[in-house]
């Protein structure tokens, strides 16, 4: 990488190397090759005052404790840096060179000034590197803890031997771990019982007492109590085992945070992630991970905890406990199927992102079909979890490790493999300094469960991840889910910022056809029997001092100095890392090996330099670009290339798992017939061909080139070869950075059969840092790499992008290089080789290579303190590369949904208090100020008695799915606490100490019942806000788009946004007896419980709430026109208010004021059918073209024909059935209905036609088009 000159040469000035026999060239960057004594003294002094985790004074925290509101700074469209058109790129400009001239007095003074500047830069770099946690005397936690206690098998279902949550689960796991020899490799910990005060960190005392009383109940009593919950059974030993399970996790938390062990796994039952504050649910009594998170915070002072839930069922209990807490980030990836899968909660959809200060800290990735594979799960981690986690910077990672998403599980019906869960575990090990604890949740196929646990435990122990056998492409359904989740949470996380991208329709169609063909060809295999390699050594290291004999005879300060490899090796020895590696002997490359990538003429030309005189060597070097040659150049280049081949042999033959090659001269610029940029033979390219020769086939090889200069030679050698995927990240600077030209452009994607297998990310600015590289890794490098599924990974590991490099001008830290290496280690079964390329600050390259070597050896990764979000210029570069390669790599199809109309803008429903004084806050009346008097009166009447019991108001998305009037109520009955509750004395809410009532998904809320929506139809559609509950925290109501008689004036619906919404309670219920997934013992209906309404009774998307018990004036009868409009939302079903009230089971009181909430979809796939508005405009008085009626007409947004609604003569319905046109607009209220989606739609693409109709109808533009 070039150094910018401080003189008159301008930004493209370079120092020329290899010219002249005498004299010195001034360097514009710091030179640290001198003064090792000073560096050593500073390092020793730094050890005494080291502050763990600090890199430099400029790297400050951006964690959530500094910015609870997650306010996103003002965004600007990324623009490339201005291009200096005055300078035309020239191929003969030397690498790292500036023009030379005879020194004069002015230049001598300038050199003195530059020397001072270089000394200052050196001091700053040394000060920053002193704090790196890379020294040999640093305590590194070792070992993986394991808690496995036979006492956890002392409970089972007394009345159903076939219940899936059974002791056989742990028996199968134990047998597998013994077979794999894992029990002896782990550090065993004795399980302990959780104390009551520990359980009370997340559970109510009454609930704990009720569960404790089950120890003395008879079977009949246990069954009666269990039947009041959803999908649970009780045994006299259930309570003690649940306490033991929670305590087991706490034991591991103590051990990990005290550095007794590195990570751990708790193999426990019963599971815990469904258990709520005062409620058993889904086989779960106590929420082990929720207790552990609070325990770590209170006892160990942990500030930030990440909880990852990959169980196939949504962990609603964990989510509800932390959905207002920004100190706990909850990420769940689960089967959802639009709410048809247990636990049937809209709160499990992507639109639920937390409330209040916890907005953005709840992340849900819902799978809406079965058969999801490893690639889908990995894509969710790469595109969403990891970027957020690196920004969040957790200090502890807890995993709800359910294995019911594995192939063969009867409940999950997914197609993930144990190897896939090994990959997920590996990716998580890079967070929180490796402090990771897995706690067993679900998993009901005994073989799949046992192998999944074994695979994850292998990974925790440091074993390599097995290669994946399923296709590495996320399916279209997964892409849609991830896109929705990205759109929902992107406003809260800077590291998720990405531009809106439009994918061409022809590519989508081609992709759909290919995916369909692949789906037919690929069948989920029987779970493969995984094998784990037993290697003599883990990491190989090759270094040979003879490679230092290549030197510049004319410039003693040439950046490619012999001391480069010596300093790295000395540093590895000083840290004790070299002694932990297997030292392999170096050897020269054979001519056969060299000829696989270079021509015979070129090899002989370089060989001939061995016998040249000094002047001839200088002349020969001048024939190439940025090259110096000495008599030992050929032997050193030959030795460097052969050394890499020797390391490839060791990896391919199982002698070592991975390796490091400390070689010089570098190689990635070397072309087939020419030396270039300090390089003679392309070591990595020759090694790739050697690996293929060893395997006897076209081995799939990934070459990642993170040297700051583009590897033009490697690219040209493989640009026609689809067996080698070449990915380069380099400074490009619009083609002005070495090697000058457009070879490193993102549009250079390969040739012929190799098209798409050359991937270039060209940075167009300096100061590229850690966040930029991680962003490229997560969005581009790793998705493509997993799709390619390489069998060997070679890294052209140049460290001239490192902080302090005189040529690179970038700021990548050693810690970042460690993380990049770790994430690549999940590929190719862990077979990865790092080959030194560039890097010209001796301290930087030594620390960076040491950090990478630690990763290869399996040491915990250092915590990466990212000081900023990715640069706009870097974001532009990565986006351009993604766009260039999207047609070749379907893993790049995950995009953010367009957000022109603010569909993902989250606005607080209340004014934030500057300093909250207590956990629960009274309702802030401020949002009511802009409401109409009628709505104010209705809300005030409804909240008169309930306001004192409402907890913090939760602000929600202004326009997202599943947001209609949600409440959570928690009621405690005194008899329930005694454990003697009977079915006729208490409702399910009272018995469970806090039943969670759930709203239906938007399909059922709109009354669109489909044959496969049975369970969704059973979900509760409306509920009475019980104002007699004893719980203080009744949740919060989400009132979105309220429609009342007052609001429906002037024939159009006006919306009350979330800014105007007043909290009342979040209704979240687990349906009783309606589960299609969790097995529930037979139970009779609970008398007095709130009945569940079907969508037909609920009348579609209308949700009826009774907000108060005070008498209200009876509402005026709804005009037929408005009644028809509301019924349109119900899919055409006529709304019978009396029947609706009657079906609500006591909710309806005709003397109570009523209001309705209608939630349009914020996007639908049929928006592309909207045609341009006719030049003649639109006439809202136009009559139906079939029957001539002027009443309740709709206009088709595809052909702009006008027909009447289904409540007149249904001519618009007939038009849709005949034409297939999906979207129609009402001339009455300007709403847009989608027939295929069976829902209202509101989107930016509809604003123009809505405004045109509004102008025609009222003579003015829409006041608030958003």
């Amino acid at each position: 990488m070039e150094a910018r000159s401080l003189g008159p040469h301008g930004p493209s000035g370079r120092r020329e190397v290899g010219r002249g026999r005498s004299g010195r060239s001034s360097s514009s960057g710091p030179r640290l090759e001198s003064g090792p004594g000073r560096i050593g003294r500073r390092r020793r002094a730094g050890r005494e005052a080291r502050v763990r985790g600090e890199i430099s004074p400029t790297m400050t925290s951006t964690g959530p404790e500094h910015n609870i509101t997650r306010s996103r700074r003002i965004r600007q469209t990324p623009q490339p840096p201005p291009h200096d058109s005055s300078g035309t790129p020239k191929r003969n400009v030397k690498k790292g060179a500036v023009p030379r001239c005879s020194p004069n007095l002015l230049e001598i003074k300038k050199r003195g000034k530059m020397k001072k500047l270089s000394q200052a830069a050196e001091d700053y770099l040394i000060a920053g590197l002193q704090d790196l946690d890379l020294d040999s005397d640093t305590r590194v936690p070792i070992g993986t803890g394991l808690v496995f206690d036979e006492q956890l098998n002392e409970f089972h279902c007394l009345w159903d031997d076939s219940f899936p949550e059974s002791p056989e689960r742990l028996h199968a796991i134990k047998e597998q771990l013994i077979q794999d020899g894992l029990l002896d490799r782990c550090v065993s910990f004795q399980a302990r019982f959780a104390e009551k005060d520990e359980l009370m960190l997340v559970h109510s005392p009454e609930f704990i007492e009720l569960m404790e009383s089950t120890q003395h109940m008879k079977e009949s009593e246990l069954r009666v109590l269990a039947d009041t919950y959803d999908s649970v059974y009780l045994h006299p030993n259930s309570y003690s085992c649940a306490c033991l399970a929670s305590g087991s996790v706490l034991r591991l938390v103590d051990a990990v945070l005290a550095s007794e062990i590195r990570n751990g796994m708790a193999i426990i039952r019963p599971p815990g992630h469904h258990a709520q504050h005062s409620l058993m649910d889904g086989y779960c009594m106590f929420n082990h991970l929720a207790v552990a998170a609070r325990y770590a915070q209170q006892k160990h002072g942990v500030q930030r905890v990440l909880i990852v839930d990959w169980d196939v069922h949504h962990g609603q209990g964990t989510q509800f406990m932390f959905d207002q807490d920004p100190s706990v980030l909850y990420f769940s990836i689960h089967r959802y199927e639009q709410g048809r899968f247990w636990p049937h909660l809209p709160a499990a959809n992507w639109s639920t992102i937390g409330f209040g200060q916890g907005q953005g800290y709840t992340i849900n990735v819902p799978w809406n079909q079965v058969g999801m594979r490893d690639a889908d799960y990995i894509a969710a981690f790469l595109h969403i979890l990891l970027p957020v986690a690196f920004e969040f910077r957790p200090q502890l990672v807890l995993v709800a490790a359910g294995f019911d998403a594995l192939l063969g599980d009867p409940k999950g019906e997914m197609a993930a493999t144990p190897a896939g869960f090994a990959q997920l575990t590996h990716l998580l090990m890079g967070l929180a300094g490796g402090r990771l604890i897995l706690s067993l949740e679900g998993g009901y196929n005994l073989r799949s469960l046992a192998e999944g646990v074994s695979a994850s435990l292998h990974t925790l122990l440091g074993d390599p991840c097995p290669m994946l056998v399923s296709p590495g492409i996320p399916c279209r359904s997964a892409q849609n889910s991830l896109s929705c989740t990205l759109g929902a949470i992107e406003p809260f996380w800077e590291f998720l910022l990405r531009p809106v991208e439009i994918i061409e329709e022809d590519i989508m169609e081609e992709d759909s056809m290919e995916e369909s063909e692949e789906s037919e060809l690929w069948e989920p295999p029987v779970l493969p029997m995984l094998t784990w390699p037993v290697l003599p050594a883990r990491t190989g290291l090759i270094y040979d001092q003879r490679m230092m004999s290549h030197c510049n005879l004319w410039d003693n300060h040439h950046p490619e100095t012999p001391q480069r490899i010596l300093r790295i090796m000395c540093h590895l020895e000083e840290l004790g890392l070299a002694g932990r590696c297997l030292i392999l002997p170096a050897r020269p490359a054979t001519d056969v090996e060299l000829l696989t990538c270079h021509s015979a003429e070129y090899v002989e030309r370089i060989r001939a330099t061995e016998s040249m005189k000094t002047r001839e060597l200088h002349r020969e070097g001048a024939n190439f670009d940025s090259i110096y040659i000495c008599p030992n150049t050929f032997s050193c280049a030959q030795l460097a290339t052969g050394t890499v081949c020797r390391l490839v042999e060791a990896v391919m033959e199982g002698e070592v798992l991975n390796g490091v090659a400390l070689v010089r001269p570098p190689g990635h610029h070397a072309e087939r017939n020419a030396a270039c940029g300090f390089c003679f033979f392309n070591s990595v390219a020759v090694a790739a061909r050697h690996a293929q020769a060893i395997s006897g086939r076209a081995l799939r090889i990934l070459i990642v080139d993170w040297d700051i200069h583009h590897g033009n030679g490697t690219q040209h050698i493989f640009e026609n070869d689809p067996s080698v995927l070449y990915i380069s990240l380099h400074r490009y600077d619009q083609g002005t950075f070495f090697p000058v030209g457009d070879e490193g452009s993102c549009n250079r994607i390969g040739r012929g059969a190799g098209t798409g297998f050359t991937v270039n990310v060209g940075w167009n600015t300096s100061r590229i840092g850690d966040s930029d590289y991680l962003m490229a890794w997560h969005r581009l490098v790793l998705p493509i790499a997993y799709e390619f599924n390489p069998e060997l990974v070679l890294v052209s590991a140049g460290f001239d992008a490192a902080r302090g490099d005189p040529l690179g001008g970038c700021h990548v830290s050693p810690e970042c290089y460690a993380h990049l290496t770790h994430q690549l280690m999940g590929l190719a079964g862990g077979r990865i080789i790092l080959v030194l390329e560039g890097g010209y600050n001796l301290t930087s390259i030594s620390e960076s290579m040491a950090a990478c070597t630690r990763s290869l050896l399996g040491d915990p990764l250092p915590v990466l303190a990212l000081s900023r979000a990715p640069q706009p210029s870097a974001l532009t570069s990565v986006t351009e590369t993604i766009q260039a390669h999207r047609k070749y790599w379907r893993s790049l199809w995950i995009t953010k949904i367009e957000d022109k109309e603010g569909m993902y803008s989250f606005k607080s429903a209340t004014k934030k208090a500057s300093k909250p004084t207590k956990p629960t806050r009274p309702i802030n009346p401020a949002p009511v100020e802009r409401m109409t008097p009628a709505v104010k009166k209705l809300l005030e009447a409804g909240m008169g008695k309930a306001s004192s019991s409402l907890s913090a108001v939760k602000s929600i998305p202004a326009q997202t799915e599943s947001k209609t009037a949600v409440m959570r109520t928690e009621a405690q009955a005194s008899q329930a606490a005694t454990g003697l509750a009977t079915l006729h004395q208490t409702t399910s809410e009272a018995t469970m100490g806090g039943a969670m009532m759930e709203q239906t998904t938007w399909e059922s809320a709109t009354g669109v019942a489909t044959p496969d929506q049975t369970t969704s139809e059973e979900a509760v559609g409306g509920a009475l806000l019980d104002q007699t509950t004893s719980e203080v925290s009744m949740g919060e109501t989400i009132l979105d788009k309220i429609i009342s008689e007052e609001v429906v004036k002037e024939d159009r619906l006006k919306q009350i946004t979330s800014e105007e919404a007043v909290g009342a309670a979040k209704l979240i219920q687990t349906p009783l007896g309606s589960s299609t997934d969790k097995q529930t013992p037979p139970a009779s209906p609970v008398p007095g419980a709130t009945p569940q309404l079907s969508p037909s009774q609920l009348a579609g998307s209308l949700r009826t709430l009774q907000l108060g018990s005070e008498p209200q004036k009876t509402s005026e009868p709804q005009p037929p026109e408005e009644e028809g409009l509301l019924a349109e939302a119900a899919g055409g079903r006529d709304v019978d208010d009396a029947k609706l009230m009657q079906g609500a089971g006591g909710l309806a009181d005709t003397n109570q004021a009523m209001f309705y909430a209608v939630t349009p979809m914020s996007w639908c796939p049929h928006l592309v059918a909207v045609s341009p508005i006719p030049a003649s405009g639109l006439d809202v008085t136009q009559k139906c073209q079939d029957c001539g009626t002027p009443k309740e007409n709709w206009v088709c947004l595809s052909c702009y024909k006008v027909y009447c609604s289904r409540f007149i003569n249904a001519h618009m319905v007939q038009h849709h059935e005949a034409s297939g046109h999906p979207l129609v607009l009402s001339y009455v209220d300007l709403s847009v209905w989608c027939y295929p989606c069976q829902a209202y739609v509101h989107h930016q693409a509809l604003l123009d036609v809505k405004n045109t109709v509004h102008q025609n109808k009222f003579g003015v533009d829409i006041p608030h088009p958003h």
Side-chain angles (χ1 to χ4, degrees), residues 466-613:
M467 289 187 61
L468 301 175
V469 295
S470 63
I473 307 167
C475 67
R476 290 295 298 276
S477 179
Q479 293 170 7
N480 292 338
S481 295
L482 295 176
S483 295
C484 290
T485 302
L486 275 173
I489 65 171
E490 188 259 0
F492 301 94
W493 299 96
E494 292 183 336
F495 283 42
L496 291 180
L497 174 64
R498 60 179 68 201
V500 174
E501 302 176 68
I502 300 176
I503 303 177
E504 299 177 5
E505 292 185 14
D506 56 342
I507 299 179
M508 293 179 64
E509 294 176 0
E510 180 181 350
D511 174 79
S512 298
M513 294 176 61
E514 292 180 3
E515 181 178 1
S516 177
E517 293 175 359
E518 288 189 3
S519 298
E520 294 177 0
L521 294 174
W522 186 84
E523 295 181 359
V526 177
L527 279 180
M529 184 64 68
L530 297 179
T531 57
W532 304 86
V534 179
L535 304 171
R538 180 182 177 94
T539 301
L541 176 63
I542 296 190
Y543 161 82
D544 195 305
Q545 189 171 330
R546 289 177 292 173
M547 285 179 276
M548 295 180 63
S549 60
H550 168 66
C551 60
N552 192 322
L553 303 176
W554 305 274
D555 185 357
N556 293 333
H557 294 284
H558 190 282
E560 209 291 284
T561 173
Q563 282 71 36
R564 294 172 63 240
I565 58 174
L566 176 63
R567 283 286 295 275
I568 294 174
M569 189 63 186
C570 289
H571 192 56
L572 295 180
E573 291 176 343
E574 176 188 353
L575 298 179
L577 298 177
R580 296 170 58 191
C581 298
L582 177 64
I583 306 299
L584 298 171
R587 68 165 178 84
T590 66
D591 285 357
V592 173
E593 293 165 347
L594 293 175
L595 293 177
T596 58
C597 296
H598 298 283
S599 66
E601 295 78 10
Y602 172 69
V603 173
E604 291 304 317
R605 182 178 179 178
I606 300 302
R607 194 194 307 270
T609 61
E610 291 183 301
S611 58
M612 288 184 180
K613 297 180 180 179

Side-chain angles (χ1 to χ4, degrees), residues 182 212 228 577 655 685 723 914 973 1075 1147 1183 1187 1201 1235:
L182 297 180
E212 185 178 24
T228 62
L577 298 177
E655 192 175 354
S723 69
S914 58
S1075 171
L1147 295 183
K1183 299 178 181 179
C1187 65
K1201 294 181 179 180
Y1235 284 101

Side-chain angles (χ1 to χ4, degrees), residues 817-831:
Y817 282 119
H819 281 270
L820 301 183
T821 302
H822 172 81
Q823 292 181 17
L824 291 175
M825 289 167 62
L827 302 165
R831 291 183 291 273

Side-chain angles (χ1 to χ4, degrees), residues 76-255:
Q76 297 179 352
T77 303
Q79 297 291 339
H83 177 59
D84 185 4
S85 58
S86 62
T88 304
K90 296 181 180 180
R91 184 66 181 176
N92 60 355
V93 175
K94 302 301 178 181
K95 178 180 179 180
V98 297
R100 285 181 51 84
C101 58
S102 299
N104 52 34
L105 181 60
L106 180 63
E107 186 162 358
I108 291 174
K109 291 181 177 179
K110 185 184 298 182
R111 288 180 181 177
K113 182 178 180 181
M114 292 174 64
K115 184 176 181 180
K116 293 180 179 180
L117 292 174
S118 299
Q119 183 62 51
E122 176 181 342
D123 293 340
Y124 172 78
L125 176 66
I126 293 173
L129 292 174
Q130 284 172 351
D131 294 328
L132 292 180
D133 204 9
L134 295 172
D135 294 316
S136 57
D137 56 356
T138 301
R139 180 181 179 184
V140 178
I142 59 174
T144 294
L146 180 67
V147 178
F148 190 109
D149 196 307
E150 294 290 351
Q151 295 181 72
L152 294 170
N153 285 326
E154 294 179 355
F155 75 102
H156 61 278
C157 185
L158 298 172
W159 52 86
D160 186 357
D161 293 336
S162 65
F163 206 92
E165 207 299 291
S166 63
E168 285 72 24
R169 298 174 64 234
L170 298 196
H171 293 323
I173 293 173
K174 183 177 181 179
E175 291 177 4
Q176 185 72 45
L177 299 186
I178 293 175
Q179 176 182 329
D180 294 344
L182 297 180
L183 290 181
D184 295 335
R185 295 177 58 189
C186 296
V187 180
S188 180
F189 285 91
Q190 181 66 40
R192 74 168 178 86
F193 291 94
E195 302 294 335
K196 283 188 178 181
D197 59 342
E198 293 168 342
L199 296 175
M200 283 191 292
L201 292 172
V202 298
H203 294 291
S204 69
E206 296 82 4
F207 174 68
I208 297 173
E209 290 176 6
L210 174 62
M211 295 299 103
E212 185 178 24
S213 68
T214 61
Q215 299 178 97
H216 312 293
M217 289 185 183
K218 299 177 182 178
E219 179 179 339
S220 59
E221 294 174 321
L222 291 170
R223 186 166 186 177
V224 166
L225 181 57
D227 286 351
T228 62
Y229 299 106
D230 185 15
S231 303
V232 300
Y233 68 83
L234 285 168
H235 184 280
N237 293 330
S238 292
Y239 172 77
S240 60
C241 288
C243 290
L244 191 61
S246 290
S248 299
V249 181
L250 299 185
R251 181 65 187 93
L252 289 179
V253 168
D254 287 333

Side-chain angles (χ1 to χ4, degrees), residues 582-754:
L582 177 64
I583 306 299
L584 298 171
R587 68 165 178 84
T590 66
D591 285 357
V592 173
E593 293 165 347
L594 293 175
L595 293 177
T596 58
C597 296
H598 298 283
S599 66
E601 295 78 10
Y602 172 69
V603 173
E604 291 304 317
R605 182 178 179 178
I606 300 302
R607 194 194 307 270
T609 61
E610 291 183 301
S611 58
M612 288 184 180
K613 297 180 180 179
T614 303
R615 180 172 299 178
E616 295 173 325
L617 291 171
H618 183 271
R619 186 181 301 115
E620 180 67 359
N623 292 329
F624 300 106
D625 187 1
S626 300
I627 286 294
Y628 69 80
I629 305 177
C630 74
N632 296 319
T633 294
F634 173 78
S635 61
C636 288
Q638 186 184 35
L639 184 61
T641 304
T643 294
V644 181
C645 291
R646 172 66 185 91
L647 190 52
V648 165
E649 294 168 358
V651 171
M652 296 293 295
E653 295 170 1
E655 192 175 354
V656 293
L657 175 64
N658 52 50
V660 174
L662 302 181
V663 297
R664 63 175 296 271
H668 69 142
H669 293 306
E671 303 276 4
R672 177 175 175 79
N673 293 297
C676 178
F678 312 162
C679 304
F680 296 89
F681 298 134
N682 200 310
S683 305
V684 169
V686 173
R689 290 301 187 210
H690 186 56
Q692 291 179 331
I694 293 175
S695 65
R697 59 185 176 85
L699 194 74
R700 293 189 308 278
I701 298 176
L702 167 64
I703 298 178
V704 176
D705 190 338
W706 68 44
D707 189 283
I708 199 62
H709 302 94
H710 176 242
N712 52 291
T714 311
Q715 174 174 309
H716 291 151
I717 290 172
F718 297 113
E719 61 185 351
N720 291 287
D721 188 351
S723 69
V724 177
L725 171 61
Y726 175 70
I727 302 178
S728 176
L729 300 93
H730 52 269
R731 270 189 73 176
Y732 183 59
D733 290 6
Q734 308 295 347
T736 63
F737 201 77
F738 186 90
V740 175
D742 64 352
E743 295 301 317
S745 166
C746 66
N747 296 318
R748 292 302 182 108
I749 59 175
R751 302 172 182 270

Side-chain angles (χ1 to χ4, degrees), residues 7 713 931 972:
M931 294 183 180
Q972 296 277 348

Side-chain angles (χ1 to χ4, degrees), residues 751-765:
R751 302 172 182 270
T755 301
F757 291 89
T758 295
V759 182
N760 285 308
V761 179
W763 309 125
N764 287 311
T765 185

Side-chain angles (χ1 to χ4, degrees), residues 83 101 113 159 169 392 733 781 839 859 954 1067 1083 1111 1125 1159:
H83 177 59
C101 58
K113 182 178 180 181
W159 52 86
R169 298 174 64 234
F392 180 66
D733 290 6
V781 176
D859 289 353
K954 301 180 179 182
L1067 172 74
L1125 290 176
T1159 303

